[in-house]
């Protein structure tokens, strides 16, 4: 699978491409483990949350089910419209430009979205809308498919999109391969001067996909949503044979959390 560029928040054409098919996105993207969300909710001083880059509302709906009040902020009107249809309140704006209008929150969360936000400007904005002791808690899913599936995807992507800023291949699988992204998030929190020392923690789990489910999930990633239909089809064709009937994918759900200093 393609890796993210060194500064993904500058790749606006990619970050604004996820709304190409909100129904597929909501259907195919995995939910967040309850243990992860429960830990975030328990660490927040209250249950009034802001979900940054909320997309179709996957994480927000789970948090709402855990008894939280959640406001979403989403730059793509197509994704926001889907989330609103599920009963969520969503305001459309890039987070860095969003007007909080004096509102404050107990936690700012982001489900596999914080890397599309400037790490320092985002942390500064989060601190401005957090109550004293409030929690900033971006979370990511990091996929580690079997090596042959990952290699087939990287090969196909390189062949079809050789000049993509989302570089094919992952030097190291799982959390180590994404550590630069996680470190950038933590460094942004430190640079803001508003947070206690960030804490990185994760939960490991496996998910079995049918071939069609895995290929559909691939279509929701930034490396694919910004491609032309014929390019997407060619990449999928290169992966399909490697998947077989089913594929078990290891997923690390990683959080980088920090508490706003009083």
């Amino acid at each position: 699978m393609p890796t993210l560029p060194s500064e993904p928040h500058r790749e606006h054409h990619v970050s604004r491409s996820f709304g190409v098919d909100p129904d597929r996105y909501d259907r195919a993207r995995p939910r967040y483990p309850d243990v992860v969300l429960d830990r975030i909710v328990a660490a927040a001083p209250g249950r009034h949350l802001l979900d940054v880059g909320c997309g179709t509302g996957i994480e927000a709906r789970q948090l709402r089910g855990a008894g939280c009040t959640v406001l979403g902020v989403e730059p793509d009107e197509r994704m926001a419209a889907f989330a609103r249809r599920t009963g969520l309140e969503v305001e459309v704006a890039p987070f860095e430009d969003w007007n909080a209008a004096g509102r404050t929150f107990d936690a700012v969360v982001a489900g596999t979205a914080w890397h599309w936000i400037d790490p320092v400007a985002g942390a500064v904005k989060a601190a401005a809308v957090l109550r004293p002791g409030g929690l900033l808690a971006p979370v990511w899913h990091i996929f580690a498919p079997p090596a042959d599936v990952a290699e087939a995807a990287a090969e196909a992507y390189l062949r079809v999109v050789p000049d993509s800023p989302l570089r094919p291949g992952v030097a190291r699988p799982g959390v180590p391969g994404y550590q630069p992204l996680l470190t950038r998030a933590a460094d942004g929190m430190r640079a803001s001067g508003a947070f206690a020392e960030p804490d990185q923690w994760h939960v490991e789990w496996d998910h079995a996909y049918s071939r069609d489910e895995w290929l559909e999930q691939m279509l929701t990633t930034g490396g694919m949503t910004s491609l032309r239909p014929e390019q997407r089809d060619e990449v999928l064709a290169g992966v399909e044979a490697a998947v077989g009937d089913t594929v078990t994918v290891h997923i690390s759900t990683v959080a980088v959390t920090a508490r706003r200093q009083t």
Side-chain angles (χ1 to χ4, degrees):
M1 294 298 293
T3 61
L4 289 165
S6 59
E7 294 187 302
H9 66 279
R10 300 189 186 279
E11 304 295 336
H12 299 297
H13 72 289
V14 178
S15 63
R16 301 296 190 269
S17 69
F18 293 101
V20 65
D21 192 337
D23 294 84
R24 172 187 286 148
Y25 186 99
D26 195 77
R27 182 173 62 247
R29 284 287 178 118
R31 275 45 185 167
Y32 293 87
D34 289 342
V35 65
V36 172
L37 300 186
D38 289 347
R39 179 168 170 175
I40 290 170
V41 171
R47 295 200 168 195
H48 188 40
L49 276 54
L50 180 69
D51 188 356
V52 175
C54 70
T56 59
I58 292 171
E59 184 183 30
R61 293 196 303 272
Q62 290 185 257
L63 289 165
R64 184 179 62 184
C68 297
T69 299
V70 187
L71 172 66
V73 177
E74 167 58 41
D76 191 317
E77 175 60 54
R78 299 166 297 181
M79 300 286 267
F82 185 104
R84 290 188 188 114
R85 290 196 295 273
T86 70
L88 294 170
E89 182 182 355
V90 183
E91 298 179 6
V92 177
F95 179 57
E96 298 93 328
D97 302 330
W98 173 67
N99 181 8
R103 292 167 291 181
T104 58
F105 302 85
D106 296 303
V108 173
V109 300
T112 317
W114 193 254
H115 51 284
W116 300 118
I117 296 163
D118 181 283
V120 178
V124 169
K125 186 62 170 280
V129 302
L130 280 169
R131 295 170 183 142
L135 191 71
L136 175 55
V139 179
W140 290 266
H141 286 315
I142 298 173
F143 296 91
D148 57 339
V149 175
E151 288 166 8
E155 234 174 71
Y157 198 85
L158 177 60
R159 183 177 65 254
V160 175
V161 204
D163 58 348
S164 171
L166 286 88
R167 299 178 303 280
V170 178
R172 291 177 293 173
V175 175
Y178 275 76
Q179 191 56 52
L181 178 153
L182 304 170
T183 299
R184 286 180 72 250
D187 286 346
M189 297 173 194
R190 295 184 184 102
S192 75
F195 292 94
E197 179 61 20
D199 181 26
Q200 178 178 318
W201 48 276
H202 63 273
V203 170
E204 307 281 345
W205 52 294
D206 292 324
H207 187 72
Y209 289 88
S210 70
R211 179 176 55 237
D212 289 346
E213 287 170 341
W214 178 245
L215 296 177
E216 185 172 54
Q217 190 283 140
M218 281 186 60
L219 286 171
T220 71
T221 62
M224 299 288 279
T225 54
S226 55
L227 299 184
R228 299 189 304 274
E230 63 272 18
Q231 291 177 307
R232 294 197 295 268
D233 290 345
E234 190 173 345
V235 173
L236 292 183
V239 178
E240 189 170 2
V243 175
D245 292 332
T246 62
V247 59
T248 297
V249 176
H250 187 72
I251 303 174
S252 304
T253 300
V254 186
V256 178
T257 60
R259 192 173 301 280
R260 180 180 180 266
Q261 300 184 98
T262 56

